[in-house]
Amino acid sequence: MNDTTRGIRIRPGSLADAPAILDMLDSAVVWMNDRGNTEQWGTTPYSQKPGGVARVERYTTENAPYIAELDGTPVGALVLDSGPSPQMPIAPAAEPERYVRLLVTDRRHAGLGIGAALLAHAAEETRRAGVELLRVDCWAGGGGLVAFYERNGFTRTEPFLSGAWPGQVLARRVG
């Protein structure tokens, strides 16, 4: 179950990875804020948001977490689930699906293809489970996040609003 691409090793995650995931999420908030993006994830470090630590711990114990490593150091995380978050205004698919609930990479290693490698791994895990549909949602309020998923084989399906937060659901057929 270990994939290696460009020196990136992907392995199953566990509760022991929660601190590394939280560090990546916290540094992503800082990175986005430094570029003027305070709308996507706000300005509060993820580890200090109400429920943030508990959510990451649930991701690592109740879902299928995967960790990307370079030289044994965690540099990215992916969490797969069987559908979208019930807190989001997104309907489950009308067929079995795998859903990317979290994708984050260590911004210090940007440009190495870590996110793409994790998405390729998600597609393979989806295929291995005998499921043909892989979906993800993301912030659609600017920047290149939607385009990133499109470059990785996803197609836009439905836009949505979660309060004032603009989102986009994307899908990829893997069967």
Side-chain angles (χ1 to χ4, degrees):
M1 193 174 323
N2 296 334
D3 292 341
T4 304
T5 306
R6 296 185 195 148
I8 300 166
R9 177 181 174 260
I10 298 176
R11 62 166 174 81
S14 71
L15 182 58
D17 295 303
I21 295 169
L22 285 163
D23 285 345
M24 285 183 254
L25 289 166
D26 285 351
S27 66
V29 170
V30 171
W31 180 82
M32 284 185 266
N33 288 183
D34 286 349
R35 282 150 188 76
N37 178 350
T38 59
E39 297 172 38
Q40 184 175 347
W41 285 356
T43 58
T44 303
Y46 200 88
S47 63
Q48 295 175 21
K49 289 183 181 187
V53 171
R55 179 175 294 132
V56 169
E57 290 174 349
R58 275 194 317 275
Y59 280 165
T60 60
T61 58
E62 297 175 11
N63 301 112
Y66 297 94
I67 302 298
E69 294 181 332
L70 280 174
D71 299 323
T73 300
V75 294
L78 166 82
V79 174
L80 286 177
D81 198 355
S82 60
S85 168
Q87 285 77 41
M88 297 299 278
I90 302 167
E95 65 183 278
E97 69 177 316
R98 290 296 179 267
Y99 206 94
V100 176
R101 291 285 293 273
L102 174 72
L103 177 67
V104 64
T105 61
D106 184 329
R107 300 311 308 162
R108 293 173 295 185
H109 300 280
L112 298 180
I114 296 163
L118 283 164
L119 288 175
H121 187 79
E124 182 54 36
E125 288 296 319
T126 300
R127 193 176 298 109
R128 195 174 292 152
V131 175
E132 294 183 9
L133 179 63
L134 176 62
R135 293 196 309 159
V136 64
D137 65 78
C138 68
W139 185 64
L145 195 52
V146 172
F148 165 77
Y149 285 110
E150 289 175 327
R151 285 191 308 274
N152 283 279
F154 288 82
T155 302
R156 294 178 202 212
T157 57
E158 62 269 3
F160 66 93
L161 282 176
S162 180
W165 194 87
Q168 177 67 54
V169 178
L170 298 102
R172 178 177 173 186
R173 290 276 168 199
V174 299

